[in-house]
């Protein structure tokens, strides 16, 4: 009998679990008979924990109810300390986030325990392995945190799958013999992803991905709630409880306006002598949330560019919508405008990702036919090299799992160690990228360029990075594990970095060219001086003058700071010294011959 592997969509607002039974991927219903379970957890004073719809019912009853915890997975308290959240946020001893005293991993584990229990109840047998989905733009720390939550829930997480990839699996299950290139636009409760995938005979390859793990339906609800409160004209600040009631009502209005042109937001007895009753039209709603929805457009255009798609109407077979927020008509209108194609709404927006996770779980368990799933890494990975440059080992949008390595030498004579700084980002200079971790590699003292250190990056199928360094003389290995607190950046910064890599591409490349030319000049100038002292007297005066002029040009170009001027000057000096180099070689050969004859 095949071992069960369940598929789980651990969502910001809702979650779902399923399994392949009798060759068919199915989602499993909870105790309420529903396939969707709210990602809500409540902690009572007596220590009892309730998950799902029952937890949401406890709001306002003096019980802390945590929702949208996914937004804080793998993040630092310093990033989110100003956030207004459903429960108090604080900093943990490790600098991470605590929500009502619980880590996001602990809260997520409670949701996963509930999903595990649903599966075991429905299947009437124990399950201990799972495939869990995450946003494509989750970084290494966020993926690790998700995996830890699964382990804390008693599950072996056999694969982490990106949500758009899972949605593409659900979309393409009945198209395995066909070729198709599709975009998956996934706007959920708390995260946004856009990916372009190619499907060919059971191989699903991600061509490009982009997104924002801090953008989703929660932001739409917040914007509408803020607008409603502004219409009331009240100047007083909302309490946490009032704010949550207003957001919940705004969410209901948002959902109703997907199917009707106008509805009312009503909260009786909102405050003493204050009942809320405001009519909201779809036109007003779309105007209020336009800036939130509009943020997805730049991600879409960037992913089309990264995938090399110039005419989406001709080059894409479909634009698949998933995520509850894609029910909003203005979202669908934006997608149609950007992709020049009517979006495909054949997938259930709340269930497609979970269904894809189930399909991948079925493949891994052997319950479904073999399909190959090729995901990509969303940001470039590399190390800092001499001169403060970013040396990319794994470029952005490289298919994973993957490995890449390179050999490095000591830049300074007699140094005995090399600091390897692992970087993530898209800029040319190391200082403009993010440090994931660092390790010092020790080796025996050696002349410049003689010590050799091998560095290998390995990204597994879950998108988690390991860095191996090796002293090739002693074959001593050091393994650097990127832990869950390594990446101290928020998602606005991720988006900013990618856009800045384009905005500052010319300046960055100019600085890189100047830095590389400067290092070459600093190596060449002393060598020229030493060579002239040895053979300058036997060279033709015109050759000496050519070298001296080129040398002065290099020194002058170093002062200007102009990259192309310095690069050209270094090239002229390099060419001018070709004859001198030949004379030095002849002199060395003569010396060696005389020494041999003297013996």
């Amino acid at each position: 009998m095949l071992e069960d592997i369940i598929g789980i969509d651990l969502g910001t607002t809702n979650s779902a679990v399923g399994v392949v039974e009798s060759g068919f991927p199915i989602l499993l219903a909870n105790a309420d008979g529903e396939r969707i379970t709210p990602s809500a957890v409540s902690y009572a004073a007596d220590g009892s924990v309730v998950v799902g719809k029952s937890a949401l019912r406890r709001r306002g009853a003096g019980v802390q109810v945590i929702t949208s915890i996914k937004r804080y997975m793998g993040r630092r308290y310093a990033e989110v300390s100003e956030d207004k959240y459903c429960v108090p946020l604080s900093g943990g001893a490790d600098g991470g986030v605590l929500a009502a005293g619980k880590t996001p991993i602990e809260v997520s584990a409670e949701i996963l325990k509930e999903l595990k229990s649903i599966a075991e109840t429905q299947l009437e047998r124990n399950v201990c392995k799972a495939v869990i989905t995450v946003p494509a733009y989750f970084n290494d720390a966020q993926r690790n945190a998700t995996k830890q939550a699964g382990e804390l829930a008693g599950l072996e997480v056999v694969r982490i799958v990106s949500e758009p990839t899972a949605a593409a699996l659900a979309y393409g299950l009945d198209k395995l013999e066909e070729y198709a290139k599709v975009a998956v636009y996934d706007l959920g409760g708390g995260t946004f992803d856009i990916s372009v995938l190619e499907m060919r005979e059971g191989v699903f390859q991600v061509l490009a991905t982009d997104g924002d793990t801090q953008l989703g339906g929660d932001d739409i609800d917040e914007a509408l709630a803020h607008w409603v409160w502004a219409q009331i004209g009240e100047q007083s600040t909302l309490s946490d409880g009032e704010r949550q009631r207003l957001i919940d009502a705004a969410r209901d209005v948002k959902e109703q306006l997907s199917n009707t042109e106008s509805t009312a937001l009503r909260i009786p007895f909102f405050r003493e002598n204050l009942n809320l009753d405001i009519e909201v039209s779809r036109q007003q709603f779309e105007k209020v949330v336009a800036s939130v929805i509009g943020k997805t457009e730049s991600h879409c255009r960037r992913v089309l560019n990264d995938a090399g798609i110039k005419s989406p109407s001709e080059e894409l077979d479909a634009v698949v919508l998933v995520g509850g927020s894609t029910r909003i008509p203005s979202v669908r209108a934006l997608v149609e405008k950007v992709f020049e194609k009517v979006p495909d709404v054949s997938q259930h927006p709340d269930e497609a990702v979970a269904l894809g996770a189930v399909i991948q779980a079925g493949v891994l368990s052997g319950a479904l036919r073999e399909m190959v799933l090729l995901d990509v890494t969303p940001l470039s990975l590399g190390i800092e090299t001499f001169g403060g440059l970013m040396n990319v080992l794994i470029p952005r949008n490289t298919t994973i799992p993957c490995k890449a390595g390179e050999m490095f030498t000591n830049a300074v004579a007699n140094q005995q160690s090399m600091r390897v700084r692992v970087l993530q980002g898209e800029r040319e200079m190391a200082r403009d990228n993010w440090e994931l971790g660092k390790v010092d590699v020790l080796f025996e003292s050696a002349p410049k360029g003689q010590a050799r250190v091998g560095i290998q990056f390995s990204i597994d199928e879950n998108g988690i990075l390991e860095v191996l360094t090796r002293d090739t003389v002693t074959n001593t290995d050091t393994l650097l594990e990127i832990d869950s607190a390594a990446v101290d950046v928020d998602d606005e910064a991720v988006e900013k970095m990618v856009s800045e890599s384009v905005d500052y591409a010319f300046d960055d490349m100019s600085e890189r060219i100047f830095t590389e030319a400067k290092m070459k000049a600093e190596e060449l100038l002393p060598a020229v001086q030493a060579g002239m002292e040895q053979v300058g007297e036997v060279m033709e005066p015109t050759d000496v003058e050519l070298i001296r002029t080129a040398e002065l040009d290099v020194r002058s170009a170093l002062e200007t700071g102009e990259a192309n001027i310095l690069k050209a000057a270094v090239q002229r000096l390099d060419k001018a010294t070709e004859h001198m180099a030949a004379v030095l070689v002849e002199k060395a050969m003569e010396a060696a011959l005389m020494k041999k004859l003297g013996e």
Side-chain angles (χ1 to χ4, degrees):
M1 182 178 177
L2 295 173
E3 184 177 16
D4 288 315
I5 302 179
I6 57 176
I8 292 175
D9 172 17
L10 182 61
T12 307
T13 307
N14 297 301
S15 295
V17 61
V19 72
V20 173
E21 278 281 84
S22 302
F24 294 96
I26 59 170
L27 298 186
L28 302 171
N30 58 27
D32 297 319
E34 297 173 348
R35 294 191 295 268
I36 301 299
T37 299
S39 301
V41 181
S42 69
Y43 294 90
D46 62 1
S48 62
V49 180
V50 176
V51 178
K53 189 175 286 186
S54 299
L56 292 177
R57 295 192 191 105
R58 291 187 170 195
R59 276 181 173 164
V63 178
Q64 291 184 318
V65 180
I66 301 175
T67 56
S68 300
I69 194 63
K70 182 175 175 177
R71 284 193 158 194
Y72 298 98
M73 292 288 277
R75 302 186 70 200
R76 314 289 290 158
Y77 180 64
E79 303 168 34
V80 303
S81 57
E82 302 300 319
D83 281 16
K84 292 181 178 179
Y85 191 52
C86 54
V87 297
L89 295 176
S90 59
D94 62 351
V97 181
L98 295 177
K102 304 291 184 181
T103 69
I105 290 175
E106 290 172 331
V107 178
S108 296
E110 295 296 344
I111 300 170
L112 291 171
K113 284 178 187 175
E114 177 69 14
L115 298 173
K116 180 176 183 287
S117 175
I118 290 169
E120 291 178 335
T121 300
Q122 292 290 347
L123 298 174
E124 297 182 341
R125 54 184 182 266
N126 293 333
V127 294
C128 59
K129 292 185 177 182
V131 168
I132 303 178
T133 61
V134 297
Y137 232 52
F138 254 23
N139 58 36
D140 192 69
Q142 292 165 312
R143 289 169 184 261
N144 262 318
T146 304
K147 194 170 184 180
Q148 290 174 37
E151 292 165 354
L152 189 59
L155 291 167
E156 178 189 344
V157 183
V158 295
R159 182 71 60 88
I160 297 286
V161 177
S162 295
E163 289 166 6
T165 308
L169 280 172
Y171 169 80
L173 185 61
D174 60 346
K175 304 175 180 65
L176 292 179
E177 304 303 327
E178 303 173 15
Y179 167 83
K181 187 180 287 185
V182 301
V184 178
Y185 180 103
D186 182 358
L187 185 61
T191 62
F192 169 68
D193 278 310
I194 175 69
S195 293
V196 175
L197 304 97
E198 189 175 67
M199 301 182 292
R200 189 194 302 268
E201 296 178 351
V203 176
F204 291 67
Q205 180 170 5
V206 181
L207 302 180
T209 191
D210 212 299
D212 187 340
T213 58
Q214 304 300 309
L215 176 65
D218 288 354
D219 302 284
I220 294 171
D221 303 338
E222 184 86 40
L224 181 57
H226 181 79
W227 177 81
V228 167
W229 190 241
Q231 304 311 300
I232 301 299
E234 283 278 341
Q235 300 299 313
S236 57
T237 303
L238 289 165
S239 68
D240 289 343
E242 290 171 340
R243 177 177 168 275
Q244 192 59 58
R245 288 178 67 197
L246 189 54
I247 288 174
D248 289 344
R251 182 178 299 116
D252 291 340
V253 166
K254 172 190 71 177
E255 292 171 357
Q256 291 172 39
L257 287 174
S258 291
N259 301 304
T260 184
E261 291 295 326
S262 181
T263 190
L265 184 148
R266 294 190 178 94
I267 309 179
F269 309 110
F270 184 73
R271 279 182 178 174
E272 187 176 356
N273 301 321
L274 178 60
N275 299 312
L276 298 188
D277 189 349
I278 297 178
E279 195 71 21
V280 183
S281 69
R282 180 184 289 178
Q283 185 178 15
Q284 286 174 317
F285 168 73
E286 289 180 348
K287 186 177 180 181
V288 169
V289 303
S291 61
V292 178
I293 293 169
K295 289 180 180 179
T296 68
E297 182 172 351
S298 62
H299 295 287
C300 293
R301 297 198 183 279
R302 188 179 301 127
V303 87
L304 287 173
N305 182 67
D306 289 347
I309 293 175
K310 294 181 172 57
S311 176
S313 62
E314 297 177 1
E315 297 177 61
L316 290 176
D317 295 285
V319 182
V320 181
L321 298 188
V322 292
S325 298
T326 60
R327 291 186 174 94
I328 299 171
S330 59
V331 169
R332 297 183 176 187
L334 181 143
V335 171
E336 184 172 353
K337 180 189 80 171
V338 173
F339 291 92
E340 305 165 6
K341 185 182 290 289
V342 176
D344 184 309
V345 294
S346 62
Q347 301 303 296
H348 191 297
D350 297 319
E351 296 182 0
V353 171
L355 194 61
V358 173
I359 293 167
Q360 181 61 26
V363 170
L364 294 174
S365 70
L368 279 179
R369 60 167 288 181
E370 184 65 28
M371 290 179 285
V372 180
L373 183 58
L374 302 173
D375 218 327
V376 297
T377 179
L379 289 173
S380 298
L381 295 158
I383 69 166
E384 180 180 10
T385 54
F386 192 64
L389 299 174
M390 165 72 157
N391 188 85
V392 174
L393 294 184
I394 299 179
R396 180 171 178 250
N397 283 329
T398 295
T399 300
I400 59 175
C402 64
K403 287 183 181 180
E406 214 170 299
M407 195 71 70
F408 295 89
T409 62
N410 55 323
V412 180
N414 301 319
Q415 72 182 84
Q416 296 179 310
S417 68
M418 181 187 298
R419 171 156 292 185
V420 177
R421 290 183 65 221
V422 181
L423 305 173
Q424 182 179 43
E426 302 306 315
R427 303 291 296 275
E428 296 292 335
M429 305 305 293
R431 66 169 185 271
D432 297 320
N433 296 298
W434 303 312
E435 182 181 292
L436 297 183
K438 57 190 173 186
V439 62
D440 289 323
V441 183
L442 303 178
F443 47 80
E444 293 183 6
S445 176
K448 178 181 177 181
Q450 296 301 306
R452 296 172 68 81
V453 173
I455 298 175
Q456 178 181 273
F457 281 17
S458 175
I459 304 181
D460 66 15
E461 63 273 12
N462 299 314
I464 296 172
L465 171 67
E466 285 187 345
V467 179
L468 177 72
T469 63
R470 173 175 294 171
D471 175 5
T472 59
V473 174
T474 63
N475 284 329
T476 303
D477 290 348
T478 304
L479 185 65
L480 176 63
E481 296 180 354
I482 307 301
D483 62 30
S484 62
V487 187
D488 191 8
V489 293
D490 59 29
D491 294 281
E492 286 185 8
V494 172
E495 181 183 353
K496 184 180 178 184
M497 165 162 288
V498 176
S499 62
E500 284 182 351
S501 72
V502 177
D503 296 340
Y504 297 109
F506 180 81
D507 293 339
D508 282 1
M509 187 53 67
S510 179
E511 184 172 2
R512 185 180 191 99
I513 291 170
F514 181 82
T515 301
E516 290 174 341
K518 181 172 180 284
M519 289 190 292
K520 176 71 173 175
E522 291 173 345
E523 182 180 336
L524 191 56
L525 288 171
V528 170
Q529 186 64 33
M532 291 296 288
E533 289 175 0
Q534 292 185 55
V535 299
E537 293 181 357
V538 300
M539 291 177 61
E540 294 291 332
T542 53
D543 288 339
V544 172
E545 181 63 25
L546 187 65
I547 291 171
R548 290 304 186 194
T549 300
E551 184 181 1
L552 288 173
D553 286 347
V554 169
R555 296 186 187 279
S556 175
L558 282 168
E559 297 295 325
T560 67
E562 292 291 333
N564 290 329
I565 293 174
L566 178 58
K567 182 179 179 181
V570 169
Q571 288 174 344
R572 287 196 301 272
L573 179 58
D574 201 21
K575 186 170 182 60
T577 56
E578 286 178 355
H579 180 61
M580 182 185 74
V583 173
L584 284 168
V585 171
E586 288 177 8
K587 184 178 179 181
M589 290 177 67
E590 287 177 5
L593 182 60
M594 294 300 293
K595 182 179 179 183
K596 188 173 183 180
L597 290 173
E599 294 174 352

